[in-house]
Coordinates of all heavy atoms in Angstrom, one line a residue:
D377 N 176.8 9.5 144.6 CA 177.2 8.3 143.9 C 178.5 7.6 144.5 O 179.3 8.3 145.2 CB 177.5 8.6 142.4 CG 176.4 9.0 141.7 OD1 175.2 9.2 142.3 OD2 176.4 9.1 140.5
D378 N 178.4 6.3 144.4 CA 179.7 5.5 144.6 C 180.0 5.1 146.1 O 181.1 4.8 146.4 CB 181.0 6.1 143.9 CG 180.8 6.2 142.5 OD1 179.6 5.8 141.9 OD2 181.6 6.8 141.8
N403 N 177.8 0.8 145.0 CA 178.3 -0.4 144.3 C 178.7 -1.4 145.3 O 179.7 -1.1 146.0 CB 179.5 -0.1 143.3 CG 179.2 1.2 142.6 OD1 179.7 2.3 143.0 ND2 178.4 1.1 141.5
H435 N 173.5 1.1 142.2 CA 174.4 1.7 141.2 C 175.2 0.7 140.4 O 176.2 1.0 139.7 CB 175.3 2.7 141.9 CG 176.1 3.7 141.0 ND1 175.6 4.2 139.9 CD2 177.3 4.3 141.2 CE1 176.4 5.0 139.4 NE2 177.4 5.2 140.1
H439 N 179.9 -1.2 138.9 CA 179.9 0.1 138.2 C 180.3 -0.2 136.6 O 181.1 0.4 136.0 CB 181.1 0.9 138.8 CG 180.8 2.3 138.7 ND1 181.1 3.1 137.5 CD2 180.2 3.3 139.4 CE1 180.6 4.3 137.6 NE2 180.2 4.5 138.9
P475 N 175.7 3.4 135.9 CA 177.2 3.7 136.0 C 177.7 4.5 134.9 O 177.2 4.2 133.7 CB 177.8 2.3 136.1 CG 176.7 1.4 136.5 CD 175.4 2.1 136.0
H476 N 178.6 5.3 135.1 CA 179.2 6.2 133.9 C 178.0 6.9 133.2 O 178.2 7.4 132.1 CB 180.0 5.4 133.0 CG 181.1 4.5 133.6 ND1 182.3 5.2 134.0 CD2 181.1 3.2 134.0 CE1 183.0 4.2 134.7 NE2 182.3 3.1 134.6
H529 N 179.6 13.2 144.2 CA 180.4 12.1 144.7 C 180.9 12.4 146.0 O 180.1 12.4 147.0 CB 181.4 11.7 143.7 CG 180.9 11.2 142.4 ND1 180.5 12.0 141.4 CD2 180.8 9.9 141.9 CE1 180.0 11.3 140.3 NE2 180.3 10.0 140.7
Ligands
ZN1 ZN1 179.3 6.1 139.8

Side-chain angles (χ1 to χ4, degrees):
D377 294 11
D378 302 356
N403 315 100
H435 194 28
H439 210 276
H476 306 282
H529 293 78

